[in-house]
Amino acid sequence: MLRPEQLADLVATATEILDEASGPFVAGHRADSAVRKQGNDFATEVDLAIERQVVAALTERTGIGVHGEEFGGAPVDSELVWVLDPIDGTFNYAAGSPMAAILLGLLHEGTPVAGLTWLPFVGNRYTAVVGGPLRDNGTELPALSTTGLAESIIGIQTFNIDSHGRFPGRYRVEVLANLSRVSSRVRMHGATGVDLAYVAAGILGGAISFGHHVWDHAAGVALVRAAGGIVTDLAGRPWTVESKSALAAAPGIHQDILELVAAAGAPEDY
């Protein structure tokens, strides 16, 4: 395990690198689709350019390999590896929404030990290392406190009700319906990493992700845990890089959301 001062040095270097990438990120807002991916997903030229830029800088300046969304790279089970999403919320980004971010997590043998989430359009630069605290633009934020679900904003991913797969659309609707009976403050930001960062910062009380991509989650898991929050999968097992879903929440809320998810039944029954 890296010493705290080593982690701090790595985050300081990564901070400089993400700051350098923020210029192209902002300049490319509303970028057109460049690369079609599975289904109706796509990458923009800016995704590709930022990933190349950040990967090259991290490799040169930290000596640690990088696993990126667009080009892959070092295995996520390496002793140390950076995990990068150059643009989280690509649809938002291309449409001109400010709900888009650069996500960078550091994994040690598969466990998130540091996280950085940059929201250049709204000015947030969240950083944390294992053990906390969470910082925004270098300012330490208070640890998450116990609160209630009814008083909290909850983030949930967007979806198509007719979709199938591991978590069918109709299952997701039932989870949403259960949440709505307790909290009328459900939000769909369309960016998993933004949701997780907002949980860590106490803006959201919790967030549900039906996704499994490590680059969407690594940075945010580190942030939430450093802030004193809880991150599991939807079955309540601690989140790992192999998890197929994520539930991140503040103390006092996580268990309540977990029970509402369980009340929806088994996804395979939908």
Side-chain angles (χ1 to χ4, degrees):
M1 182 65 179
L2 293 171
R3 298 190 305 275
E5 59 270 23
Q6 291 176 302
L7 278 174
D9 287 345
L10 287 170
V11 168
T13 299
T15 292
E16 295 174 358
I17 292 169
L18 294 194
D19 283 346
E20 292 163 2
S22 292
F25 185 99
V26 171
H29 210 198
R30 290 184 176 271
D32 292 332
S33 169
V35 180
R36 285 284 169 183
K37 301 200 289 190
Q38 185 175 2
N40 63 352
D41 199 5
F42 66 90
T44 71
E45 288 286 6
V46 185
D47 284 90
L48 310 181
I50 289 177
E51 183 158 322
R52 292 188 188 100
Q53 176 180 332
V54 173
V55 168
L58 285 170
T59 303
E60 177 184 353
R61 293 160 65 178
T62 71
I64 298 171
V66 185
H67 185 94
E69 175 181 4
E70 307 304 339
F71 299 113
V76 295
D77 59 357
S78 302
E79 182 179 4
L80 279 173
V81 61
W82 295 105
V83 177
L84 171 68
D85 186 345
I87 301 180
D88 176 53
T90 307
F91 270 88
N92 292 348
Y93 182 84
S97 165
M99 290 291 96
I102 308 174
L103 313 179
L104 182 64
L106 180 63
L107 303 182
H108 177 257
E109 296 179 346
T111 299
V113 294
L116 300 92
T117 296
W118 261 226
L119 284 76
F121 301 120
V122 293
N124 298 114
R125 297 156 68 247
Y126 295 111
T127 60
V129 300
V130 63
L134 175 71
R135 291 184 168 86
D136 182 13
N137 288 305
T139 299
E140 183 175 330
L141 300 183
L144 296 175
S145 58
T146 299
T147 186
L149 179 56
E151 294 79 37
S152 300
I153 303 173
I154 305 300
I156 192 168
Q157 283 183 320
T158 55
F159 59 88
N160 178 345
I161 192 172
D162 293 323
S163 65
H164 299 288
R166 185 175 290 110
F167 299 103
R170 295 184 186 279
Y171 166 79
R172 301 184 191 200
V173 167
E174 187 63 21
V175 171
L176 179 58
N178 289 346
L179 277 171
S180 74
R181 294 184 179 101
V182 181
S183 173
S184 61
R185 299 172 179 87
V186 179
R187 300 288 185 268
M188 291 184 178
H189 293 121
T192 300
V194 173
D195 278 351
L196 295 178
Y198 279 0
V199 171
I203 297 168
L204 298 179
I208 291 174
S209 168
F210 299 106
H212 65 279
H213 296 304
V214 64
W215 52 78
D216 287 330
H217 297 89
V221 170
L223 297 180
V224 172
R225 288 176 174 169
I230 302 165
V231 190
T232 66
D233 64 13
L234 293 182
R237 297 177 293 256
W239 185 91
T240 73
V241 295
E242 302 297 328
S243 294
K244 306 305 181 186
S245 60
L247 168 56
I253 293 179
H254 184 275
Q255 184 60 36
D256 289 344
I257 298 178
L258 196 60
E259 291 173 3
L260 293 175
V261 170
E268 54 268 26
D269 292 339
Y270 289 78

